[in-house]
């Protein structure tokens, strides 16, 4: 079932588990899918940056997609960002044929002007074809591409297959309000807005009107609860839960390979992954960083028992 | 008394108060200096980015420096970043003659290679002259200049007048550990390392061996306590205090004019500034953002009474 | 007499002569002004990047402006690019009071979106005030700011005091045609377009409809002739002259301090400057580079006798 | 036969011919290979940026490589730049098995520090394996990655499989001299240095000691002659020939899709390609640009008869 602009809730960005020798760890992959389902999420995003997509060759990437799609009934979004439209189209069509719900496209970091950005996504949408729903990723911190609200509106308006925005601009609260304002005044059709950026502002982003969360935080249970509580108007409870997670969440949300290392370590400590190995090039956690993570999780577990780790 | 590498503790980055019509608000400036002294800080940094230095002309900038230096016995560090070395030298000599403790220099965002960065600071140090102690600002997120630990070591080694690093790389914990390791092994002379980045990692940065904090957080009292508690080995207490501030601190630490708007608003609400006006070009807080700040401060004040606001 | 959109012809970007010990060389400055007048130019631009403006303090910059403005009846454009609007306004008003014709403003290289660029120039124009005509500098290669034709149109339309575009995009021929097309269709008021970029495409830029040249080529006599011949419809003659200069022109147009070093060397060899010294930080020509320049000039002088050097 | 550091002479960067409907034009591909052989070149580089590699899917890219390698005895270098090392390794091993001579690797434009650049190429070399000779591409203008000579020395020293530098820094003459100096003093093993950058400085680069040219200029015959004449010490003749090509060469060397459009047009006009079509996204030559190219070629043909075009 293809992704539509009705998607809402929590769609985690999934890491890819490896054995210490670099092979893909399929048992852990299965466990992760089951874990996410158990946590109450509403979809999955795979083969993104956090999924070390760039370290997989084509056959490995499609094998992972096939396995994940085959194991869950949740909609699966597949990252297809590629240096050229031909490779993007090939991968997209392959995973859609397997049953993916849609794909995610990030802009290349050479784009500068508004027109360059709009043209890029017009070309991408044309390469993908009208039957491939896509998620527009807006992450200036990583991609160095700054999309103003009016540029997003132009992309959404030009391309009916753009059904969701992965919003991770920073700061970004006013941007969300502006986009929702465009929809309210009728100058932009409604799309789903799910927020990334490690979840660092999810508490307020949810209040500003986003539909959910689309990030790799290692405790998706919290994301699910905060989105749910906010939608139910239980503001203080949402913040109370969010705040108790924030010291660790902030630590995890460090940019680049370190953030990934922290998340894989916690997935291993939670029993989801057998190993926290990354494929090379990789960055391991230092002894001190591991101790810091353990310290933060121990403090978190005093209030949120789901963060209590075995042993 | 010139700044030396013995500086430690908390050195706030000071904003500049304006009247709503754009004039400098000298009464608020005086109040701010007194407030910082009362909060137990160990120095002041003025005319940095947060101080809207770029919106002041030369005469205004030196007038502010004169007033602040004249009002406090604390060492005052003055931002002298300029597009050319001649202007940098002029301003530095003028404020040193007034009694400034030292100056702060940030790299222009055109620098790329290690050699370019090292050469820039060699030229800056030479322009300033051997009697002007300077702070090296390492803030890749804003300046787009990435200094590896070995580059910092080269700058420190070449330039005896470099006495302090304002560290705000992100992520940056391992960088601190590496630099302190250079000092321990004798490959770099000891310098002061004070951390910025809005304080977002101060809890762990303090444990990694930095000498203090050099940032614009609107509750410097907390910075003072966290640095003190950590130095005293009272880890849990330091984190307990830090964590209760983190939800607001994270909100304040949004990049660009928004972060400044939040801080000025809180300085006004705390009675330090008469107005939260910025000089043009400026960005005002939206109604919703103001409500979010109030909400965060009210939650903070439940635990830390110093955050309780009048009315 | 203030600069208007009627400016046309050749407006050289002037270097600043120094003595080997770093002092400004006023005799050479005077000789340069007289030389430019003798070459038949239509104005002068001073205190730009090529003029090492960043290495001058405020008093030095205004002293140079005063001396140049006092010596010539040609309109003088003064570079006032500064990190903040307050400094920009101060310098602009000071030089306008001396009789400058207008000022030149380049965008800071942190700007990304169309709206950011337009807003910057709106703020700059407001800071300068309605009585200060300004030149918009469009030089993506150096400033990393890419202005699409529609952005330039927005800036021109919003700011009546924007009277001239210094065009140095690369490639840029189609951009010129697009802008002239905007004017022809009435969607943008007419402004002067003078081209920089070292003159590398002046032959075709002149045919595409620009009003002249605004660059630092060391033989402005050629620029004057090419602009004149093209306006007279003598295409082949224009290209014949341009082509014979191109091997040296291409060499001079190397980016950064090297291009400046070549130009100052040739000004010295032509007897205009007493020394080719740059202020520090500087880059001297290597022996091999000097030989290459001499070789190119000797070849050029075989056809254009004005390039023949003494001794 | 694998590529070694003995490669010298002219190795053109080949475009990829398409039919107007987007299919690969194999007859033109064959004609191009034969044309290059007839022009006296010493190798071929395919699937680079100029070859529109990003618009080809994997199967198309390898089919082109197979066809070209099968048709010529010259060494063929294949561009394998990819967002991840797994894809880079796959493609490299596939084309090496077909008989490619080596591969070319460009740095991703996110690299900043010296250490980041060196680490990237260490990882790339390890991914490729010791039996895949690679060309290091140094092109700051396009990739925004600036490699100082000492960084290049570190990469060459660490990775025995790095056999050639594609030098296209600008300005770059002193860099060549520095690298050759490293070799002369014994601090770096000798590698082949071939120069790109459209050939804009080939005349002097050849005199500074490079081994040849590695660029896409549409008249490789000129490149062959200039390299040969310079090696034979016939300096004036080399410059005479180069200078007559320079007006057109400069026009062709405009950055981005325009430069490619010019080259494909000339390949079509020379009878090598049946069509000058690019795959989408593409940029066609305007009528005015085509006229300008024709004008330049007609002028060139007056002196170099090889530039005379049919009809």
């Amino acid at each position: 079932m293809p992704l539509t602009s009705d998607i809402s809730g929590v769609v985690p960005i999934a890491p890819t588990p490896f054995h210490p020798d670099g092979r893909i760890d399929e048992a852990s992959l299965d466990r992760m899918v089951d874990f996410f389902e158990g946590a109450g999420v509403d979809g999955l995003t795979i083969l993104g940056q956090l999924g070390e997509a760039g370290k997989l060759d084509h056959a490995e990437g499609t094998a992972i997609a096939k396995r994940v799609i085959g194991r869950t009934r949740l909609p699966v979004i597949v990252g297809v960002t590629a240096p050229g439209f031909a490779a993007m189209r090939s991968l997209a069509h392959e995973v859609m044929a397997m049953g993916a719900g849609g794909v995610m496209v990030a802009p290349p970091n050479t784009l500068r002007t508004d027109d360059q950005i709009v043209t890029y996504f017009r070309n991408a949408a044309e390469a993908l074809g009208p039957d491939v729903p896509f998620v527009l990723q807006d992450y200036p911190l990583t991609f160095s591409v700054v999309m103003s609200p009016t540029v997003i509106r132009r992309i959404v308006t030009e391309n009916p297959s753009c059904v969701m925005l992965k919003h991770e601009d920073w700061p970004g609260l006013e941007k969300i309000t502006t986009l929702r304002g465009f929809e309210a005044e009728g100058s932009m059709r409604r799309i789903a807005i799910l927020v990334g950026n490690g979840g660092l502002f999810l508490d307020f982003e949810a209040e500003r009107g986003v539909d959910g969360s689309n990030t790799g935080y290692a405790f998706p249970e919290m994301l699910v609860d905060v989105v749910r509580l906010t939608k139910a108007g239980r503001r203080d409870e949402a913040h109370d839960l969010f705040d108790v997670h924030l010291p660790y969440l902030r630590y995890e949300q460090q940019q680049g390979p370190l953030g990934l290392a922290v998340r894989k370590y916690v997935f291993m400590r939670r029993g989801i992954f057998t190993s926290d190995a990354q494929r090379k090039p990789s960055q391991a956690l230092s002894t001190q960083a591991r101790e810091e993570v353990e310290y933060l999780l121990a403090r978190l577990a005093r209030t949120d028992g789901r963060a209590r780790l075995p042993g």
Side-chain angles (χ1 to χ4, degrees), chain A residues 144-300:
Chain A
S144 302
V145 175
V146 183
M147 303 186 200
S148 66
T150 51
V151 160
I152 293 171
R153 180 168 59 183
R154 287 171 63 190
I155 295 169
V156 170
T157 302
E158 281 196 4
N159 305 291
S161 56
C162 176
V163 297
M164 170 178 149
L165 175 69
K166 178 170 177 13
H167 168 92
E168 31 196 350
D169 201 348
W170 178 62
L173 295 175
E174 300 302 333
K175 196 170 189 174
I176 292 167
T177 297
T178 301
L179 291 170
R180 287 305 188 209
F182 286 165
E183 295 173 350
E185 76 189 20
S187 71
M188 185 175 92
R189 71 177 160 85
R190 198 183 193 288
I191 55 165
I193 303 181
L194 276 71
V195 287
N197 215 2
L200 195 62
F201 286 88
L202 178 61
D203 48 349
F204 289 109
E205 290 166 335
E207 297 173 20
R208 294 276 188 141
V210 303
D211 298 295
S213 168
N214 186 207
T215 196
Y217 186 56
F219 294 91
E221 304 95 319
M222 182 276 279
L223 306 175
V224 168
D225 288 348
V226 166
V227 169
R228 182 180 47 77
L229 289 166
T230 306
K231 283 184 179 169
R234 295 157 66 182
R235 187 186 202 186
D236 291 346
E237 286 168 84
H239 280 277
D240 287 345
L241 177 61
F242 182 83
D243 287 358
V244 78
H245 277 262
L246 186 54
Y248 165 68
L249 185 151
R250 168 264 339 222
Y251 193 94
E252 187 190 83
Q253 205 253 349
Q254 295 177 79
Q255 288 293 296
L258 184 56
L260 173 62
V262 172
R263 283 164 181 143
K264 286 195 137 180
Y265 177 76
V266 175
F267 266 44
M268 181 183 71
R269 291 287 281 112
R270 297 193 77 183
I272 304 162
F273 282 3
T274 302
S275 159
D276 66 346
Q278 296 174 39
R279 268 213 180 155
K280 296 179 65 168
S282 61
Q283 173 171 346
L285 287 187
S286 68
T287 307
Q288 205 158 351
R290 266 200 305 274
E291 191 278 334
E292 290 163 347
V293 171
E294 294 283 347
Y295 181 72
L296 286 164
L297 295 180
R299 289 172 62 86
L300 170 57

Side-chain angles (χ1 to χ4, degrees), chain A residues 18-220:
Chain A
F18 295 105
H19 290 289
D21 63 6
R23 281 175 305 121
I24 293 163
D25 176 354
E26 291 164 349
S28 292
L29 191 63
D30 290 349
R31 256 196 318 271
M32 179 181 68
V33 173
D34 299 348
F35 161 76
F36 280 136
E37 288 207 342
V41 307
D42 302 281
L44 287 178
T45 296
I46 60 171
L47 302 185
Q49 275 204 323
L50 191 74
E52 298 173 71
K55 303 175 190 168
L56 302 168
D57 67 22
H58 183 82
E60 291 173 324
T62 51
I64 287 171
K66 191 168 188 176
R67 192 167 191 105
V68 170
I69 292 166
R71 195 170 180 92
T72 181
R73 297 225 197 133
L74 295 172
V76 176
I77 301 168
V78 182
V80 295
T81 303
F85 294 119
M88 184 189 294
R89 171 210 283 274
S90 293
L91 179 55
H93 287 194
E94 213 166 335
V95 299
M96 291 304 288
M98 289 172 185
V103 302
M104 181 166 66
V105 180
N109 65 358
T110 48
L111 302 178
R112 282 291 168 271
T113 70
D114 289 10
D115 286 347
Q116 288 171 348
I117 299 168
V118 170
T119 301
Y120 181 83
F121 283 100
R122 185 188 309 136
N123 287 325
E126 188 181 323
L128 294 172
D131 297 332
V132 179
F134 76 91
V135 175
L136 170 62
Q137 190 172 8
D138 178 22
Y139 197 8
L141 193 64
T142 292
F143 301 129
S144 302
V145 175
V146 183
M147 303 186 200
S148 66
T150 51
V151 160
I152 293 171
R153 180 168 59 183
R154 287 171 63 190
I155 295 169
V156 170
T157 302
E158 281 196 4
N159 305 291
S161 56
C162 176
V163 297
M164 170 178 149
L165 175 69
K166 178 170 177 13
H167 168 92
E168 31 196 350
D169 201 348
W170 178 62
L173 295 175
E174 300 302 333
K175 196 170 189 174
I176 292 167
T177 297
T178 301
L179 291 170
R180 287 305 188 209
F182 286 165
E183 295 173 350
E185 76 189 20
S187 71
M188 185 175 92
R189 71 177 160 85
R190 198 183 193 288
I191 55 165
I193 303 181
L194 276 71
V195 287
N197 215 2
L200 195 62
F201 286 88
L202 178 61
D203 48 349
F204 289 109
E205 290 166 335
E207 297 173 20
R208 294 276 188 141
V210 303
D211 298 295
S213 168
N214 186 207
T215 196
Y217 186 56
F219 294 91

